[in-house]
Amino acid sequence: MKAVAVFPKGREVKVIDVPEPRLRSPTQVRVRTLEVGVCGTDKEVVEQKHGKPPEGEDHLIVGHECLGEVVEVGEQVKNLAPGDLVVPRVRRPCPRAECTPCRAGYSDFCVTGEYTERGIQAAHGFCAELFVEEALYLHKVPRELRGVAVLTEPLTIAEKALREVAHVQTRMPWEKKEGGRAVVLGAGPVGLLGAMALMRAGFQTTMYSRAPKPNPKAEMSESLGLPYVSSKQHRVEELVKQRGRADVVYEAAGVASVGFELMKALAPNGVYVFTGVPGSEEGELDEGELMKQWVMNNQVVLGTVNAAPEDFEAAVADLGRFRAKWPGGLERLITARHPPEDYAEVVTGRKGSHIKDIIVFSRG
Ligand code: BGC
């Protein structure tokens, strides 16, 4: 079968032919890959800044944002059947007995760093015609979400972040109101999905992103009823003047300098969520000013990576709600679909579109 793999040695990404995977235990499921999303992490994997092939192998099959269709289930699998649509989780737990998060089913909080991630860290991903997975790591998706469920995994980042924010903010027992104000940094797929999740949760949300207006991301944002402010045209101070300080800042740009600049927009008692992984950058930070701001305003700065099983369930449910709230909105976020042969050009941006690129393995 066809798969897309990165070969770190030759710095190559290409379509290869690999044997079809078979069920190896009664708890496994064989899945036909329908679609795989491409994101910034994939670019880092291809550029060898992040992730690695499985132990002893010279290549890594890429892809971690996946939608598939069950083709075969092991005899002990009761909750899935052939024809079901599924989204797989990405991370698998580390083997260490002392890692209480992994042992409790929360490998997103792994403390040893010995976890694996399909398509990223020492485990093959989903950019292949078929894959086999334990039923435990698969989430069932309703048929009506066929066209958009490939967005489940990037949405789980926001689901986990919002769940954490809600938890942190129980520190304010008097605060009973829904929502508040939010600013999202970066109008890429993670930012736009994050903004939709924030709006759904009742936050009055603003998108703050680099490109000056007009541009396709600004149009996309505004079509969702999400005001768009360009960081090229308006400094953070102006953003605050126009939109007020934010109870939640959701960073989804992965650029440290801009991320820290936006710290100025955080309201007293607010939570700042970092989701992006920045490359190396030189910058000037006023650490003293930041420390004073955090302490004097009871602020929380939260980093978040990966997601738990309940975040996948929440994301699937939210995709359904988003479709009802913004008809056609999720569909418009997917701005191009490509064949596997184009993966290298899509991931490096040569054939990439302006929001979300998807690789199509099967139209079934
Ligand atoms: C993925 C996460 C993963 C992280 C770090 C992100 O793009 O969505 O599942 O944990 O990269 O590898």
Side-chain angles (χ1 to χ4, degrees):
M1 67 169 185
K2 196 186 280 185
V4 181
V6 57
F7 290 75
K9 237 193 181 152
R11 296 193 150 270
E12 258 191 310
V13 194
K14 58 183 182 190
V15 173
I16 56 172
D17 190 30
V18 291
E20 289 191 0
R22 306 250 160 251
L23 299 188
R24 277 167 288 111
S25 92
T27 51
Q28 287 184 332
V29 178
R30 202 152 81 114
V31 182
R32 177 186 306 117
T33 306
L34 300 175
E35 301 188 319
V36 178
V38 180
C39 79
T41 301
D42 297 308
K43 185 163 187 276
E44 301 227 310
V45 168
V46 164
E47 290 171 351
Q48 291 155 56
K49 293 179 180 155
H50 186 59
K52 60 178 185 192
E55 201 58 47
E57 296 196 37
D58 64 349
H59 67 282
L60 171 78
I61 297 177
V62 293
H64 62 279
E65 300 180 0
C66 175
L67 170 67
E69 186 180 63
V70 173
V71 289
E72 185 186 359
V73 299
E75 57 203 37
Q76 283 175 28
V77 177
K78 300 285 172 247
N79 60 334
L80 291 171
D84 284 348
L85 294 181
V86 287
V87 168
R89 292 206 298 285
V90 180
R91 192 175 283 192
R92 304 292 169 264
C94 79
R96 300 269 170 213
E98 70 271 20
C99 185
T100 44
C102 279
R103 302 292 67 78
Y106 288 88
S107 60
D108 55 320
F109 279 95
C110 176
V111 291
T112 67
E114 292 178 37
Y115 58 80
T116 59
E117 287 181 339
R118 292 203 62 166
I120 304 175
Q121 183 66 19
H124 287 310
F126 307 114
C127 263
E129 286 176 81
L130 294 162
F131 65 91
V132 163
E133 187 50 275
E134 292 292 329
L136 165 73
Y137 298 121
L138 297 172
H139 294 268
K140 196 167 160 174
V141 169
R143 219 356 105 173
E144 58 269 24
L145 296 180
R146 166 69 179 84
V148 296
V150 68
L151 300 173
T152 303
E153 198 278 341
L155 177 58
T156 61
I157 299 169
E159 299 293 351
K160 174 176 171 182
L162 288 193
R163 186 165 57 79
E164 291 186 86
V165 167
H167 185 75
V168 168
Q169 296 306 55
T170 59
R171 68 191 174 140
M172 299 189 287
W174 65 92
E175 195 65 73
K176 296 282 182 255
K177 73 171 192 298
E178 284 268 293
R181 261 199 290 265
V183 171
V184 173
L185 178 61
V190 173
L192 285 164
L193 289 166
M196 291 166 99
L198 282 158
M199 287 192 275
R200 221 273 300 155
F203 284 88
Q204 193 193 318
T205 308
T206 304
M207 176 58 75
Y208 192 54
S209 193
R210 192 171 40 188
K213 286 211 288 193
N215 70 71
K217 287 177 177 171
E219 277 157 35
M220 175 72 211
S221 300
E222 287 169 354
S223 77
L224 302 171
L226 171 66
Y228 179 101
V229 178
S230 159
S231 60
K232 276 247 155 101
Q233 293 170 321
H234 302 276
R235 293 161 50 82
V236 173
E237 287 78 2
E238 293 175 68
L239 170 77
V240 169
K241 210 177 258 171
Q242 276 180 32
R243 309 286 307 162
R245 277 187 211 284
D247 303 297
V248 174
V249 175
Y250 187 79
E251 179 282 328
V255 182
S257 52
V258 194
F260 276 91
E261 181 64 16
L262 194 56
M263 197 68 74
K264 292 178 188 156
L266 190 62
N269 307 338
V271 183
Y272 193 113
V273 182
F274 280 109
T275 77
V277 182
S280 53
E281 255 186 84
E282 289 192 12
E284 277 174 40
L285 264 191
D286 190 339
E287 297 95 339
E289 201 46 50
L290 276 178
M291 191 165 152
K292 181 168 161 195
Q293 175 189 322
W294 295 338
V295 170
M296 292 309 293
N297 293 289
N298 297 290
Q299 293 172 335
V300 174
V301 177
L302 181 91
T304 181
V305 68
N306 203 254
E310 58 257 52
D311 303 315
F312 277 77
E313 293 299 316
V316 170
D318 257 352
L319 286 179
R321 295 189 192 104
F322 292 180
R323 281 185 82 225
K325 188 170 162 72
W326 296 285
L330 290 169
E331 286 81 355
R332 282 200 306 284
L333 222 144
I334 300 174
T335 38
R337 286 185 157 86
H338 311 264
E341 288 71 19
D342 286 356
Y343 187 89
E345 287 179 298
V346 172
V347 76
T348 51
R350 271 172 287 149
K351 264 199 185 159
S353 65
H354 48 274
I355 306 182
K356 188 69 180 173
D357 290 290
I358 304 295
I359 304 295
V360 177
F361 274 88
S362 166
R363 300 193 181 273

